[in-house]
Amino acid sequence: METAPHPARNTVSHLAITPSILYFGTPVVLLTTENADGTFNLAPISSAWALGQVVVLGLGRHGQTGANLAARPELVISLPEPGQWAAVERLGELTGRPAAAGRGPRRARYEPDKFTAAGFRAQTSHTVRPPRVAECPIQLEARAVRVGTDAAGDFLIVEAGVLKVHADPRLLVPGTQHIEPAAWSPLIYNFRHYFGLGPELGHSGVSETPPTGAAARCAGGRKASGGVR
């Protein structure tokens, strides 16, 4: 038997809008790259997504990170948690490129030691030269395999192959290689505001980790009442 559509879906009138940004809830990552003089740059970005063992990154064309990756492809992708948003925001006010100082909407300040300025510590990597951000619960050592421009020519699109993953052991499902979803909350950049995750609502049928909390209770109830229909 077909169910009637939800009435709310038939009564909403949408408006055509032209927003200045489209950051509709994406994770923040911190990128560590190597400068020409052997020092390291640390920069926050909010355009990152993973496909298999590749992470795709969106960068400004004229930043230090893009220039570094074009010449030296090794990098670290560190994922901060919600409580670290203030340190991420401090990084957003800095630039590692002297020529970019005073430019952009923030009038960025040149800072050669961004780790210290943001209150982070550098942690030695295992397979690449750039260091990890010690305070970040998840860190990905990687290598850029492709650096190009986006369709409009305004940004750089970087495809980075992940070489090694580091995770805080408190995030792992005991005895497995899996991150416990209920234990990990990424820092989310949502229309230039910072958020964390809320309670779990449900889980995918292909998930290899069980649901937790209210979602687990709902799943148990569905099984008890007949399972898949």
Side-chain angles (χ1 to χ4, degrees), residues 31-57:
L31 302 184
T32 318
T33 56
E34 185 178 359
N35 298 318
D37 62 1
T39 61
F40 300 102
N41 186 60
L42 180 64
I45 70 165
S46 56
S47 297
W49 60 281
L51 183 63
Q53 298 300 307
V54 174
V55 177
V56 181
L57 308 166

Side-chain angles (χ1 to χ4, degrees), residues 69-119:
L69 289 176
R72 292 163 296 280
E74 294 183 347
L75 73 156
V76 174
I77 305 165
S78 297
L79 282 72
E81 56 190 358
Q84 295 169 325
W85 76 267
V88 171
E89 182 67 5
R90 286 195 294 272
L91 276 176
E93 299 171 350
L94 308 174
T95 178
R97 201 168 202 180
R103 296 184 179 180
R106 298 195 189 203
R107 302 290 181 183
R109 173 173 61 86
Y110 171 62
E111 174 54 63
D113 185 2
K114 290 187 180 180
F115 274 91
T116 300

Side-chain angles (χ1 to χ4, degrees), residues 27-213:
V28 173
V29 302
L30 304 180
L31 302 184
T32 318
T33 56
E34 185 178 359
N35 298 318
D37 62 1
T39 61
F40 300 102
N41 186 60
L42 180 64
I45 70 165
S46 56
S47 297
W49 60 281
L51 183 63
Q53 298 300 307
V54 174
V55 177
V56 181
L57 308 166
L59 310 175
R61 283 188 60 193
H62 304 295
Q64 187 65 28
T65 297
N68 285 348
L69 289 176
R72 292 163 296 280
E74 294 183 347
L75 73 156
V76 174
I77 305 165
S78 297
L79 282 72
E81 56 190 358
Q84 295 169 325
W85 76 267
V88 171
E89 182 67 5
R90 286 195 294 272
L91 276 176
E93 299 171 350
L94 308 174
T95 178
R97 201 168 202 180
R103 296 184 179 180
R106 298 195 189 203
R107 302 290 181 183
R109 173 173 61 86
Y110 171 62
E111 174 54 63
D113 185 2
K114 290 187 180 180
F115 274 91
T116 300
F120 287 127
R121 292 178 296 113
Q123 184 177 20
T124 303
S125 296
H126 293 190
T127 62
V128 296
R129 279 185 47 78
R132 299 171 278 157
V133 178
E135 291 78 7
C136 287
I138 297 178
Q139 310 150 335
L140 314 176
E141 298 181 20
R143 183 179 181 88
V145 294
R146 186 175 296 133
V147 180
T149 57
D150 71 317
D154 297 327
F155 298 93
L156 292 179
I157 304 297
V158 177
E159 296 178 37
V162 175
L163 305 173
K164 197 175 191 68
V165 178
H166 303 268
D168 185 326
R170 292 172 294 184
L171 300 181
L172 298 179
V173 177
T176 76
Q177 300 290 309
H178 300 306
I179 300 291
E180 168 56 69
W184 163 239
S185 178
L187 176 61
I188 300 295
Y189 198 55
N190 182 21
F191 287 101
R192 291 179 175 163
H193 292 251
Y194 297 101
F195 291 84
L197 295 183
E200 180 182 353
L201 301 176
H203 76 300
S204 167
V206 298
S207 173
E208 297 184 37
T209 54
T212 60

